[in-house]
Amino acid sequence: VCLGSAETVESNRARIDGAVDWISTNAPDMTLVDTQYCDNDLERGMAIVNDWITANPDLKAIFSNNDTTTIAVANVLQERDMVEKIVHVGFDATETNVVYLEQDITSAIITQDAYDIGYQSIEAAVTLLDGGTVEPNIATNVAVVTKENLNDEDIRKILNF
């Protein structure tokens, strides 16, 4: 299942769309049970996750697409004693979400490299100011943070806390 934050926010919808597309293309034996949005409301997100677990006792994995939804999923998995049964991949490596990694509640967190985004943004702005052109899409770094790589120097630099 995929828990999204806000369907009306393009980046949130795109994260869910990308997850759904990957599953349909690369995991034909995986059944996507449901995708829902909680309007970035923690309590609503937790209610959705609780409903999913109740309705799908064989649920294997949950993807959450931002900080709030990651917290919602982690809280429910912990409260329902489902940490060992359901793999959770979240998004946004905040200090709270990193604690979930350390406690083995969340298996991985996808996070953006904010430094790289800022660096490349200004690089593009200066290029434009100088009369140059820039590509319409600029790839930025994304990291998969796990308990195993949490203390790696490159990951700590991205986390910046």
Side-chain angles (χ1 to χ4, degrees), residues 55-143:
N56 303 281
D58 294 328
L59 190 64
K60 301 287 185 222
I62 300 174
F63 168 64
S64 52
N65 80 344
N66 82 339
D67 177 47
T68 301
T69 58
T70 298
I71 292 169
V73 173
N75 283 340
V76 172
L77 292 180
Q78 193 171 26
E79 288 173 6
R80 301 266 312 249
D81 195 27
M82 300 299 285
V83 171
E84 300 286 324
K85 298 175 181 114
I86 297 175
V87 172
H88 174 221
V89 175
F91 196 94
D92 285 336
T94 63
E95 291 184 48
T96 300
N97 291 339
V98 166
V99 170
Y100 295 133
L101 280 177
E102 293 171 333
Q103 296 175 347
D104 292 320
I105 297 166
T106 298
S107 300
I109 299 171
I110 311 304
T111 196
Q112 302 167 29
D113 183 343
Y115 175 89
D116 185 52
I117 292 169
Y119 186 96
Q120 290 197 54
S121 297
I122 297 305
E123 182 178 53
V126 170
T127 298
L128 291 169
L129 285 169
D130 290 342
T133 60
V134 295
E135 294 294 322
N137 292 303
I138 300 171
T140 60
N141 292 327
V142 175

Side-chain angles (χ1 to χ4, degrees), residues 98 101-102 145-152 155-156 159:
V98 166
L101 280 177
E102 293 171 333
V145 184
T146 64
K147 186 176 181 180
E148 291 72 30
N149 72 7
L150 185 57
N151 291 312
D152 291 359
I155 296 296
R156 296 309 302 181
L159 296 178

Side-chain angles (χ1 to χ4, degrees), residues 24-46:
S24 65
T25 302
N26 298 289
D29 294 337
M30 185 182 291
T31 301
L32 180 63
V33 175
D34 194 15
T35 296
Q36 288 191 45
Y37 293 86
C38 66
D39 296 323
N40 211 40
D41 181 297
L42 181 64
E43 294 301 319
R44 185 168 175 207
M46 291 176 66

